[in-house]
């Protein structure tokens, strides 16, 4: 109960500091309940009734829906990346430590707006899983996939709610860049088997994701050990979260590319 009281006191304290920020009036920011409700509904859909309902149907063919969807997410991440890049240059951001500034500053408000769109993109990406369910791609519904999609919106709600700028932008811009490439890949794959010959670089996409997580992890560790006026609790959250991704994605890489290649060599 003491721990719970401290968490609630901390929430109230930080909320009071940020309540006058313009960011608090943006969609879904003021309260955790909308984001938390969507994440819970997402898990219920994936783990229970979504799969049960699809047992009664044949897989849906969603070729052009997937092409348009992936193209749209690619463009959205390109917008986020460019807004963060130009905003950070304009605001003279430094790496890895960038303190939080007031969002009353138009330059900071531009960065906060890009981070809000980044947070919203994580809610939109629930559709990745919905499409897997509708297409009966059950093998794609791995722990890694579900863990990633169900936790990112909550983490970035915390980001846009309490730290909508500063070093938060560093992790977001890295991820947005990777997502431009990733959703372009998915869009190409959705066009059909005739485009598979152009998608030989999937292995390198996973390597880029691992590099991204490593960079974010190192930045978080540096901020924690520097005299940086950026919330250390957010840096610790980033370190633990990136560590979990490194472990899970490394395991995926080993299973998909190292062990599979070894097995093929033994067969031949």
């Amino acid at each position: 109960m003491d721990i719970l009281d401290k968490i609630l006191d901390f929430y109230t304290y930080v909320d009071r500091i940020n309540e006058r920020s313009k960011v608090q009036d943006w969609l879904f920011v003021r309260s955790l309940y909308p984001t938390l409700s969507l994440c819970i509904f997402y898990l219920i859909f994936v783990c229970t009734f979504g799969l049960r309902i699809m047992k009664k149907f044949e897989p849906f063919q969603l070729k052009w829906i997937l092409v348009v969807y992936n193209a749209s997410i690619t463009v959205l991440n390109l917008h986020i990346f460019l807004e963060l890049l130009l905003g950070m240059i304009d605001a003279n951001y430094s790496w890895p430590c960038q303190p939080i500034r007031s969002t009353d500053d138009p330059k900071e408000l531009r960065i906060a707006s890009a981070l809000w769109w980044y947070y919203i993109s994580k809610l939109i990406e629930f559709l990745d899983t919905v499409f897997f369910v509708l297409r009966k791609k059950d093998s794609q519904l791995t722990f890694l996939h579900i863990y990633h999609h169900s936790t990112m919106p909550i983490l970035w709600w915390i980001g846009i709610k309490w730290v909508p700028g500063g070093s938060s932008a560093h992790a977001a811009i890295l991820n947005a860049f990777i997502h431009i490439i990733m959703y372009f890949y998915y869009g190409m794959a959705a066009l059909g088997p005739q485009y598979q010959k152009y998608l030989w670089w999937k292995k390198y996409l996973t390597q880029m994701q691992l590099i991204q997580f490593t960079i974010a992890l190192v930045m978080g560790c540096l901020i924690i050990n520097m005299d940086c006026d950026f919330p250390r609790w957010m840096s610790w959250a980033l370190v633990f979260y990136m560590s979990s991704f490194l472990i899970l994605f490394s395991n995926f890489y080993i299973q998909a590319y190292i062990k599979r290649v070894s097995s093929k060599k033994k067969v031949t």
Side-chain angles (χ1 to χ4, degrees):
M1 290 302 295
D2 288 340
I3 294 174
L4 181 59
D5 288 340
K6 288 179 180 179
I7 293 173
L8 291 173
D9 288 343
F10 175 75
Y11 181 94
T12 304
Y13 167 73
V14 179
D15 208 34
R16 192 183 304 121
I17 292 174
N18 290 287
E19 65 180 351
R20 293 185 179 180
S21 169
K22 295 177 182 178
V23 176
Q24 301 304 309
D25 295 324
W26 295 351
L27 183 65
F28 294 160
V29 174
R30 187 164 294 277
S31 171
L32 175 61
Y33 292 124
T35 303
L36 185 61
S37 299
L38 287 170
C39 289
I40 292 172
F41 181 78
Y42 166 83
L43 288 171
I44 293 172
F45 175 80
V46 174
C47 299
T48 57
F49 71 84
L51 295 176
R52 289 177 184 174
I53 291 172
M54 283 307 299
K55 286 181 180 180
K56 303 175 183 178
F57 298 95
E58 293 296 315
F60 286 93
Q61 302 301 316
L62 305 173
K63 177 180 177 178
W64 291 109
I65 292 176
L66 288 171
V67 171
V68 172
Y69 168 74
N70 286 301
S72 300
I73 299 297
T74 302
V75 172
L76 176 57
N77 277 282
L78 178 61
H79 167 75
I80 293 166
F81 174 79
L82 291 176
E83 279 296 289
L84 285 173
L85 178 63
L86 297 175
M88 291 163 71
I89 292 172
D90 190 34
N92 197 28
Y93 265 37
S94 60
W95 292 68
C97 172
Q98 176 58 50
I100 296 288
R101 299 169 182 164
S102 171
T103 51
D104 290 337
D105 183 341
K107 294 179 181 180
E108 290 298 318
L109 200 60
R110 180 183 187 181
I111 292 169
S113 177
L115 289 175
W116 179 83
W117 275 110
Y118 179 74
Y119 151 72
I120 290 295
S121 74
K122 301 309 168 190
L123 297 174
I124 297 172
E125 287 170 16
F126 281 158
L127 290 173
D128 290 8
T129 313
V130 173
F131 293 141
F132 282 152
V133 173
L134 294 178
R135 297 165 65 215
K136 288 193 170 183
K137 298 288 185 179
D138 296 356
S139 62
Q140 302 289 339
L141 300 176
T142 61
F143 174 79
L144 170 57
H145 177 87
I146 296 170
Y147 168 73
H148 171 246
H149 280 74
S150 62
T151 55
M152 281 292 280
I154 294 175
L155 179 71
W156 280 100
W157 176 84
I158 293 171
I160 193 63
K161 173 75 173 177
W162 289 328
V163 279
S167 290
S168 295
H170 299 153
I173 195 171
L174 286 172
N175 191 245
F177 175 75
I178 295 298
H179 274 59
I180 294 168
I181 301 170
M182 188 175 76
Y183 280 96
F184 175 78
Y185 175 93
Y186 291 159
M188 288 284 291
L191 287 171
Q194 65 271 33
Y195 288 89
Q196 289 299 315
K197 60 184 177 181
Y198 302 114
L199 301 176
W200 49 267
W201 45 278
K202 183 179 180 181
K203 172 182 177 180
Y204 302 104
L205 175 57
T206 306
Q207 290 178 352
M208 291 175 67
Q209 289 173 308
L210 288 169
I211 292 169
Q212 171 207 181
F213 301 141
T214 303
I215 293 172
L217 176 61
V218 170
M219 285 196 306
C221 291
L222 288 173
I223 293 170
I224 289 169
N225 290 282
M226 292 172 67
D227 185 19
C228 181
D229 188 18
F230 183 81
R232 287 198 175 188
W233 60 267
M234 187 63 176
S235 297
W236 276 113
L238 179 66
V239 166
F240 283 116
Y241 199 54
M242 290 301 104
S243 297
S244 70
F245 274 162
L246 267 175
I247 293 169
L248 292 169
F249 271 83
S250 295
N251 179 64
F252 167 78
Y253 186 85
I254 291 168
Q255 299 298 326
Y257 302 112
I258 297 178
K259 287 190 175 181
R260 187 177 296 176
V261 171
S262 299
S263 298
K264 287 182 179 179
K265 285 183 179 178
K266 287 180 181 179
V267 171
T268 55

